Amino acid sequence: MLLGKASAQDSEARRLFEQRFKESLASPADLDAAFKFAEAANAVGEYEAAIGALERMLFFNPNLARVRLELGVLYFRLGSYGQARSYFKTALEQPGAPEDVKLAVQKFMGEIDRRQRISQFSGFVQVGARYQTNANAGPSNLNVRVLGFDATLDRAFAKRPDWNAFVIGGVRHVLDFDNQRGDTWETVAQTYLAQQAKVSTYDIQALEVTTGPRLAIPLDALPGISVRPYAIGALLGLSDTYYSSTAGLGAALSVPLPFASLEVGGEYRWRTFHNSSTYPLASQQSGELAGVFASTAVPLAYGVRAVVKGGLYDNDADVRSNGFRSSTVDVAFPFEVTLPLVSKPLSVTPSFGGSWYNYKAPNVLVDPNVKRRDRERHVGLALETPLTDLFSVGVQMQLSRNHSNLPNYRYRNFSVAFGPSLRF
């Protein structure tokens, strides 16, 4: 239904483009008609046509700072940064250039400088607090299975609500090979730190790094395709102890489609878990994890996108009862809402998803005759409002529930996290 509306909107935009073209062709000296045609051309991605209309306007009146700004933006979108910079510079030189034009030019000039650097850094960091009704993923009730028999769980191991303070961040570095194909070397580092108020056994320190080249695949029919082979390294700490390390290899293929983006890939990870006084049986999870994944972003209607991610995984552990096959899917619908008296739009992202786990062997400590099967589902809502171009503040809420064929693993959890973010 939404795709149908989107197609109807595209058809209407194309019809308006053709109408504005005829009007501009009939009156080439009419600046108003030329500007309307440029707007219509921009809306359907006909950037070259929009450029032609705006340059014709400058022929009749070269002192239009806003038109020079629009031309700079169009060349920027086409990747012609030298031409874009030229129009931005002359927009500033026009007498009486509006203040909003000057601010926009400065923003685009800074972005051009960033993109033309051979070595580029970008990233984000968020600090905040998170509350969970079931911070330790404890079972929903005290009736559990032990050695295949019904038993009552000690309340010390039941679900516990808790707060934590967290830091989540990521840095991306792109080294441009400066060849004509657009090949680069990309390194991405992500970290998550959480300190619980009460359930200290779930204090988390996590770091993952991927690095490898992104190589363009020259195809005239589908420009912009690239493949990225990469190496993986990760460390995880739990309860302030060294919990696990990961080494792996992966590859991802990115395909820009006419109305969507698509990425597919696969990974192979070698995971080593380490015993501690808090987790004396952790090493039984050591083994190999292999999987394939895909993600896509599809525009729907009214500025809403559908972002879909999913994967299939197979985990072989040293102790077979810790091995599993799983599948995951997550769907989000980000869009923006303009509120009265607020200059910047509010980002709204409802989401839902789930994970399905089928374990390969029974855990004799729980039930020697039953293989564990989990079905986790969740729904969420994220709100974020920008304070400046770099800073924003947001809140994320999620309700999750795990259905399991063993009562030990059935749980519910509601979490809410909030805090400021910095993007650079």
Side-chain angles (χ1 to χ4, degrees):
M1 183 68 178
L2 289 175
L3 287 173
K5 291 181 179 178
S7 299
Q9 287 184 332
D10 293 340
S11 299
E12 176 61 22
R14 177 61 62 174
R15 186 198 64 77
L16 184 62
F17 165 71
E18 294 173 355
Q19 176 186 331
R20 297 300 192 203
F21 172 71
K22 293 177 182 178
E23 293 172 353
S24 179
L25 191 64
S27 304
D30 187 338
L31 299 186
D32 185 57
F35 193 77
K36 288 180 178 178
F37 169 61
E39 287 184 324
N42 186 32
V44 296
E46 296 284 354
Y47 299 141
E48 291 86 353
I51 286 172
L54 293 175
E55 288 181 336
R56 190 167 68 250
M57 292 178 68
L58 288 182
F59 177 80
F60 291 101
N61 186 349
N63 298 320
L64 299 174
R66 196 172 299 278
V67 171
R68 291 182 178 275
L69 167 64
E70 294 297 330
L71 278 164
V73 172
L74 289 169
Y75 276 112
F76 176 87
R77 290 176 177 172
L78 289 172
S80 300
Y81 298 133
Q83 194 72 6
R85 188 188 295 275
S86 175
Y87 275 112
F88 287 143
K89 184 178 179 181
T90 57
L92 293 176
E93 294 171 351
Q94 300 310 305
E99 195 63 31
D100 63 324
V101 169
K102 294 179 181 179
L103 291 173
V105 165
Q106 292 170 0
K107 182 177 179 180
F108 276 102
M109 292 279 271
E111 181 64 17
I112 289 175
D113 290 340
R114 188 186 72 81
R115 293 192 179 190
Q116 288 189 320
R117 288 196 295 267
I118 292 178
S119 181
Q120 303 174 23
F121 280 96
S122 60
F124 78 97
V125 62
Q126 182 184 19
V127 297
R130 182 187 187 197
Y131 175 76
Q132 298 181 84
T133 60
N134 190 353
N136 60 335
S140 298
N141 60 62
L142 301 180
N143 298 319
V144 297
R145 300 284 288 175
V146 177
L147 299 175
F149 298 97
D150 293 333
T152 301
L153 183 69
D154 189 311
R155 288 190 177 275
F157 302 100
K159 65 178 182 179
R160 297 180 62 185
D162 199 10
W163 286 89
N164 70 35
F166 70 85
V167 178
I168 182 171
V171 176
R172 180 171 179 259
H173 176 254
V174 178
L175 179 65
D176 194 333
F177 291 158
D178 200 23
N179 58 19
Q180 298 304 309
R181 289 161 35 101
D183 298 335
T184 60
W185 189 284
E186 297 183 10
T187 301
V188 179
Q190 301 178 82
T191 187
Y192 178 72
L193 307 172
Q195 187 77 24
Q196 299 291 143
K198 298 178 182 178
V199 190
S200 60
T201 52
Y202 286 85
D203 292 345
I204 298 174
Q205 308 86 36
L207 172 67
E208 178 172 296
V209 178
T210 64
T211 186
R214 182 176 294 279
L215 307 173
I217 300 176
L219 285 179
D220 293 338
L222 280 175
I225 295 180
S226 65
V227 62
R228 181 181 178 243
Y230 54 89
I232 306 165
L235 295 172
L236 175 64
L238 275 182
S239 188
D240 298 321
T241 62
Y242 178 28
Y243 187 67
S244 73
S245 59
T246 298
L249 298 171
L253 178 70
S254 297
V255 183
L257 301 174
F259 296 102
S261 62
L262 175 66
E263 184 177 69
V264 295
E267 290 184 350
Y268 199 96
R269 296 174 178 242
W270 294 267
R271 305 194 300 170
T272 303
F273 290 80
H274 303 272
N275 294 332
S276 65
S277 58
T278 306
Y279 298 98
L281 302 179
S283 62
Q284 295 181 2
Q285 302 175 73
S286 297
E288 300 170 2
L289 176 67
V292 294
F293 59 84
S295 64
T296 185
V298 182
L300 300 178
Y302 308 110
V304 181
R305 291 182 299 135
V307 180
V308 184
K309 300 178 180 180
L312 299 172
Y313 301 92
D314 186 281
N315 180 60
D316 277 326
D318 288 349
V319 174
R320 189 167 172 76
S321 60
N322 289 317
F324 58 79
R325 292 185 177 90
S326 68
S327 56
T328 66
V329 64
D330 286 283
V331 184
F333 300 95
F335 61 93
E336 293 185 342
V337 176
T338 302
L339 300 177
L341 305 179
V342 178
S343 60
K344 296 182 180 295
L346 172 69
S347 296
V348 182
T349 307
S351 62
F352 67 90
S355 300
W356 295 262
Y357 289 83
N358 293 319
Y359 284 78
K360 296 182 176 181
N363 184 337
V364 296
L365 297 178
V366 178
D367 193 322
N369 300 310
V370 179
K371 294 181 183 179
R372 177 181 168 186
R373 295 194 307 273
D374 287 1
R375 304 290 183 265
E376 187 273 338
R377 299 176 178 85
H378 54 265
V379 295
L381 178 65
L383 307 172
E384 184 176 20
T385 181
L387 304 177
T388 68
D389 290 339
L390 298 179
F391 289 96
S392 63
V393 62
V395 58
Q396 302 90 34
M397 295 167 284
Q398 182 170 287
L399 176 64
S400 59
R401 181 176 182 179
N402 190 54
H403 297 267
S404 179
N405 63 333
L406 291 168
N408 307 43
Y409 308 107
R410 298 172 193 159
Y411 66 83
R412 295 182 182 182
N413 184 42
F414 173 75
S415 68
V416 55
F418 54 88
S421 299
L422 166 67
R423 297 183 183 275
F424 56 90

